[in-house]
């Protein structure tokens, strides 16, 4: 849907264009009468009717470009919801996994082991922060040596945890990249609309 400001400008342009078509002959006559006395010897009045026509064409083209740029920007914004929904969905899934993993590690090895695996403090809610924490945990799973479990026979299987966690982190990273791409595309169409607005 076109933005209200652009629609207001479109209505104003339509009025000016209609006035130019309706009163072009009167305007040409009036300008000719007003400007002719100011001609110096050897000068001739330009074709005022053509000048008025060219100005109307310029306005019509400028209006058309503004409307097209506005519609393109609105169309670009309309497809941003799906990538953001996926980002939020993937972030919520990763957050849930990290919380469960921290609880499991704390129960089996104590809170120091959870810290060693990169799960200190509150689990973030921001998608990018979750991605970073997920990557930190994945890196730590392959390098941190866990202490003896508190209960005999109860152990963490780092390879299995990594196998579950890695695809979720990857999916979140892809969703983050998609949202970033959509933001760049929206910035480009907004810039084009702003340029058309300035020209109008």
């Amino acid at each position: 849907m076109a933005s209200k400001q652009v629609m207001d400008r479109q209505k104003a342009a339509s009025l000016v264009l209609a006035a130019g078509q309706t009163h072009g002959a009167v305007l040409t006559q009036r300008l000719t009468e007003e400007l002719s006395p100011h001609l110096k010897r050897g000068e001739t009045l330009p074709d005022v009717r053509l000048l008025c026509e060219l100005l109307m064409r310029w306005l019509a083209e400028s209006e058309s470009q503004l409307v097209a740029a506005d519609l393109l920007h609105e169309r670009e914004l309309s497809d941003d919801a799906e990538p953001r929904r996926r980002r939020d969905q993937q972030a919520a899934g990763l957050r849930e996994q990290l919380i469960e993993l921290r609880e499991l590690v704390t129960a089996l090895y104590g809170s120091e082991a959870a810290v060693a695996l990169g799960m200190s403090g509150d689990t973030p809610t921001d998608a990018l922060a979750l991605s970073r924490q997920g990557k930190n945990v994945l890196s730590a799973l392959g390098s941190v040596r866990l202490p003896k479990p508190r209960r005999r026979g109860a152990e963490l299987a780092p390879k299995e945890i990594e196998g579950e966690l890695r695809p979720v982190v990857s999916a979140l990273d892809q969703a983050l990249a998609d949202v970033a791409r959509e933001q760049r595309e929206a910035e480009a169409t907004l810039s084009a609309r702003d340029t058309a607005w300035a020209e109008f």
Side-chain angles (χ1 to χ4, degrees):
M1 181 177 172
S3 64
K4 183 182 183 310
Q5 288 178 315
V6 170
M7 285 193 290
D8 289 345
R9 295 305 185 277
Q10 189 177 5
K11 289 173 186 173
S14 296
L15 289 174
V16 172
L17 291 168
Q21 289 172 349
T22 305
H23 306 294
V26 174
L27 179 61
T28 299
Q29 183 182 346
R30 180 70 186 273
L31 284 172
T32 301
E33 290 170 1
E34 294 292 336
L35 296 175
S36 292
H38 302 287
L39 291 171
K40 292 184 178 179
R41 187 182 298 258
E43 293 180 335
T44 55
L45 202 62
D47 186 341
V48 178
R49 178 69 184 144
L50 178 59
L51 180 61
C52 290
E53 179 61 32
L54 290 174
L55 287 171
M56 292 299 107
R57 290 180 200 167
W58 183 18
L59 175 61
E61 185 178 340
S62 178
E63 175 212 5
S64 183
Q65 289 172 350
L66 175 60
V67 170
D70 186 51
L71 290 174
L72 190 63
H73 180 60
E74 293 296 318
R75 195 174 304 128
E76 175 52 45
L77 291 179
S78 70
D79 71 357
D80 290 1
E82 176 58 22
R84 284 196 303 268
R85 186 197 63 74
R86 275 190 289 107
R87 176 203 59 196
D88 295 344
Q89 184 179 28
Q90 296 297 338
L94 178 57
R95 186 170 192 274
E96 188 178 322
Q97 250 184 298
L98 289 172
I99 289 171
E100 288 175 1
L101 181 58
R102 182 174 61 189
E103 290 171 355
L104 177 62
V105 169
T106 302
L108 290 175
Y109 303 102
S111 59
E112 289 176 6
V115 171
L117 288 175
M119 295 181 287
S120 59
D122 293 334
T123 305
T125 54
D126 177 74
L128 183 59
L130 280 164
S131 169
R132 291 185 66 170
Q133 186 177 61
K135 288 174 186 168
N136 288 341
V137 171
L138 283 169
S139 175
L141 280 169
S143 59
V144 170
R145 194 176 176 117
L146 294 169
K148 270 186 140 180
R150 292 174 167 180
R151 289 184 177 270
R152 190 183 302 189
E155 276 188 75
L156 189 71
K159 291 285 184 193
E160 288 180 22
I161 299 293
E162 183 183 348
E164 293 173 6
L165 196 57
R166 190 172 297 282
V168 181
V169 172
S170 295
L172 176 56
D173 282 348
Q174 182 59 58
L176 283 165
D178 291 345
V179 168
R181 185 193 68 244
E182 290 295 335
Q183 287 173 335
R184 287 192 302 273
E185 290 173 355
E187 286 167 6
T189 56
L190 178 61
S191 176
R193 188 185 74 178
D194 288 347
T195 300
W197 181 281
E199 175 65 21
F200 179 81

